[in-house]
Amino acid sequence: MTTSTTSVWADLVGQEPVVETLRSAVASASGDGRSMTHAWLFTGPPGSGRSNAALAFGAALQCERGGCGQCHSCTTAMAGSHPDITVITTEGLTIGVDGIREYVRASSLRPALGRWQVLIVEDADRLTDQAAAALLKAIEEPSKHTVWMLCAPAADDVMITLRSRSRSVVLRTPGTAAIARLLVERDGVEPAMAQAVAAASQGHIGRARGLARDADARQRRRMILSIPLSIRGLGDCMSAAQRVSDEATARAAAFCDAADERELADVRQAWGVEERGRRPPGYAGATATLEKDQKRRRTRLTRDAIDGVLLDLLSFCRDVLAVQCTDGAALVNADVADDVHEIARMWTPESTIGAIDAIVECRAALTANAAPLLALESMMIGLRR
């Protein structure tokens, strides 16, 4: 079945089986809620569109035509302003129990305008154990007009009791051709550019769009891919690690500095605190909690930025190994093919695999909360051949 370019499903690139599943669920949902699954779990690799799929599903449930993309319900849902669709997200490392309890209470209310009360939990893998337990009760005893949608990279990332009570929807990595076609048709990107960034994005639609629209992002990626050729001695390894760390820290700060200031101003206003006025009891605790959450967010965004660098380097090393082992291999990073072939001549297949291992070990170390600069320095030494 084809999907209209104006429907709520249009941006779910390469997810035809998922769209069919969700369309069928919308078509079979009855007004009394008895035929509706009240908990869904959307999983898939980064960039596959988990949250987009959940939001499109929520919009289609509210739409009298199953997700036409043009009515008031669809347009407000996709714009994030529908009163009966709530997206629960976090900029920190975890989603805590206090916030989830508020959403659980809200989920028991009847829809204000639409047919369903839809709550979408982005990054459900970030739920604390207490938050997951609080959510579990709402999923086990749902209101007949409430639908919960959980999004996570993999089912194993979600507490087993939550996933066992949710209907699974698994998204796949979109193909390069499908992403390129979307960029050309919906974003007006020039075909050659669309093909290049679609390949470089490795199936991540948001990243492909970012590369297509942002010349600085493309330049930053080229800098990252030049690292294997730039490191010769130990000093080069240390410099490259410092450069990646500083760049990631600066990118996190560009977002966090403004957000921190805005949030502190909101807390001051909520407590009625003036610049030089007295601080009421409890204000110090509120600001301390805020500062702790802000520090966690800064750490997460910094590590996310570093992880993006590591994924680019992995794709580069994959290209090198493909050239070394296969004649005429298609390259992910075709725009830097000369660098790929030069490294392929300099390294052996065994040393390329060693470089891949060094990058994978760096990702594992960062996941285990290793100091980012030390992990990066160790990885750069592993890339020096």
Side-chain angles (χ1 to χ4, degrees), residues 154-241:
D156 289 345
D157 295 329
V158 178
M159 190 170 76
I160 187 170
T161 47
L162 280 178
R163 67 175 185 261
S164 67
R165 289 161 175 79
S166 304
R167 181 173 174 181
S168 177
V169 177
V170 181
L171 285 82
R172 59 193 179 190
T173 301
T176 297
I179 296 175
R181 185 166 57 252
L182 177 73
L183 295 176
V184 171
E185 294 176 356
R186 295 184 64 85
D187 299 312
V189 178
E190 191 270 329
M193 169 73 76
Q195 182 65 30
V197 298
S201 73
Q202 301 176 71
H204 196 301
I205 300 171
R207 185 154 187 261
R209 277 194 170 121
L211 286 171
R213 294 170 177 172
D214 188 349
D216 289 340
R218 295 195 295 272
Q219 182 59 36
R220 184 164 55 247
R221 174 178 160 274
R222 283 182 171 272
M223 181 275 289
I224 293 166
L225 298 182
S226 71
I227 288 175
L229 272 176
S230 69
I231 50 180
R232 294 289 185 269
L234 193 59
D236 295 331
C237 295
M238 301 300 106
S239 296

Side-chain angles (χ1 to χ4, degrees), residues 13-24:
V13 178
Q15 308 296 346
E16 289 79 9
V18 168
V19 171
E20 288 305 306
T21 296
L22 299 180
R23 274 179 159 166
S24 296

Side-chain angles (χ1 to χ4, degrees), residues 27 36 41-42 68 129 137 175 189 206 229-230 242 248 250 267 312:
M36 185 63 186
L41 176 59
F42 292 80
C68 67
D129 290 344
K137 185 171 179 58
V189 178
L229 272 176
S230 69
Q242 188 68 61
V267 169
D312 279 334

Side-chain angles (χ1 to χ4, degrees), residues 303-315:
R303 295 191 181 218
D304 285 350
I306 293 174
D307 195 57
V309 171
L310 302 183
L311 291 175
D312 279 334
L313 289 174
L314 273 176
S315 73

Side-chain angles (χ1 to χ4, degrees), residues 131-148:
L135 179 56
L136 177 61
K137 185 171 179 58
I139 287 179
E140 288 180 326
E141 302 174 4
S143 167
K144 66 178 182 179
H145 294 291
T146 299
V147 180
W148 287 91

Side-chain angles (χ1 to χ4, degrees), residues 313-337:
L313 289 174
L314 273 176
S315 73
F316 183 89
C317 290
R318 173 267 176 201
D319 283 347
V320 171
L321 192 62
V323 169
Q324 291 171 326
C325 299
T326 308
D327 291 333
L331 302 182
V332 171
N333 303 287
D335 54 328
V336 291

